[in-house]
Amino acid sequence: MLGKLIKWDLAADWKKYSVLYAATLLVSVMLVATGKIKEHIINNRMLEIIEVMFGTLFMTLIVSIVIVVVGFTVTRFYKNVIRDEGYLTHTLPVHTWQILVSKLIVSYIWFVSAAIVGAACLGIAMGEPLWLFDAIGDFAEFMSEIPSSQEKSALILLIAIIIISVVLSPFFLMSHAYFCFALGNLSSSHKLGLGVLAFFGLNIAENILATVVIGFLDFSDVVWTDEIIPPVPVFGVINKTMLIMLILSVAVSAGLFIAAERIFAKKLNLE
């Protein structure tokens, strides 16, 4: 049944995303085509204006992809689970956790697709469709030039933490949204407003907690320099800080996800 929930959500939203993705791809191609034409028609004011217009539109679409994915996934959850469609959603022969997990998986699908489309269109616009592979190759070459194995290990750990954080970022975002909507669900009115207030309040509380946790870290032995590759002690502090923040984010997000599931399962209020 979980697979059917995912299939229904994908079928309901794919047209919205495909229009945005197709528009971004088309504009990136037009931007490259305009640049190629300019190479043969020099000092043409109209072409310069058109190129600027396409460039502005392209950057707007790239930013919009992220905003739209977040907006659509959050809005769809609110409509399907809390608003009028919630009556149908919660009468399905599935557990509450399956509903939330299906929404989370679908959000991951759209986030990943947006990243792929954005990267591909960015490569086309730059005239380097394989820029990502080139960047990986450049990074491998850069790593091979680092003489110290300790610095290399510390840098690899830092990059691994960053990658894991990026991969888990949709989970962090959606678990917060689910929990805040669940709190808003407890009220008989102003559900959306209360959910938004809860979201901001929760983020403020987490920032305070993160500041307190970082305050306990010892930075006294670290000597900061202007070197391109920081010394190992600097990497150690950075890695420790980011690792603690990652663990804290995972723990908090998992707790919020479970709390949201329990609220919807035990205290569902569709009035």
Side-chain angles (χ1 to χ4, degrees), residues 59-73:
M59 294 307 300
T60 301
L61 287 171
I62 287 293
V63 174
S64 297
I65 285 178
V66 179
I67 298 175
V68 167
V69 169
V70 173
F72 280 176
T73 51

Side-chain angles (χ1 to χ4, degrees), residues 153-159 161 234-244:
S153 299
L155 182 57
I156 291 174
L157 177 59
L158 174 61
I159 294 172
I161 294 173
V234 174
F235 269 127
V237 172
I238 295 174
N239 288 344
K240 183 187 296 185
T241 302
M242 294 190 65
L243 184 58
I244 291 175

Side-chain angles (χ1 to χ4, degrees), residues 14 24 27 34-35 39 48 62 75 77 100 106 117 120-121 125 129 157 162 169-170 190-191 201 207 212 220:
W14 74 269
T24 307
V27 172
T34 305
E39 294 178 0
E48 292 176 355
I62 287 293
T75 301
F77 178 85
L100 268 62
V106 170
V117 171
C121 291
L157 177 59
I162 294 174
S169 58
H190 307 294
K191 296 177 184 290
N207 287 330
V212 172
S220 59

Side-chain angles (χ1 to χ4, degrees), residues 31 34 46-58:
L31 182 59
T34 305
M46 182 58 68
L47 282 176
E48 292 176 355
I49 294 174
I50 292 175
E51 185 178 35
V52 171
M53 290 175 58
F54 277 130
T56 303
L57 180 58
F58 175 74

Side-chain angles (χ1 to χ4, degrees), residues 19 33 54-55 68 84 91 96 125 139 161 165 178 180 188-189 206 210 231 251:
V19 170
F54 277 130
V68 167
D84 294 341
T91 55
T96 304
F139 175 75
I161 294 173
S165 298
Y178 296 169
C180 293
S188 58
S189 60
E206 287 185 329

Side-chain angles (χ1 to χ4, degrees), residues 192-223:
L192 181 59
L194 290 174
V196 172
L197 288 176
F199 186 83
F200 284 109
L202 184 59
N203 277 274
I204 292 173
E206 287 185 329
N207 287 330
I208 294 174
L209 177 61
T211 302
V212 172
V213 171
I214 292 176
F216 284 101
L217 298 179
D218 184 14
F219 296 91
S220 59
D221 296 333
V222 178
V223 178

Side-chain angles (χ1 to χ4, degrees), residues 98-119:
Q98 291 177 303
I99 297 174
L100 268 62
V101 169
S102 69
K103 298 294 184 186
L104 180 62
I105 292 175
V106 170
S107 70
Y108 257 96
I109 292 173
W110 294 128
F111 274 109
V112 171
S113 66
I116 294 173
V117 171

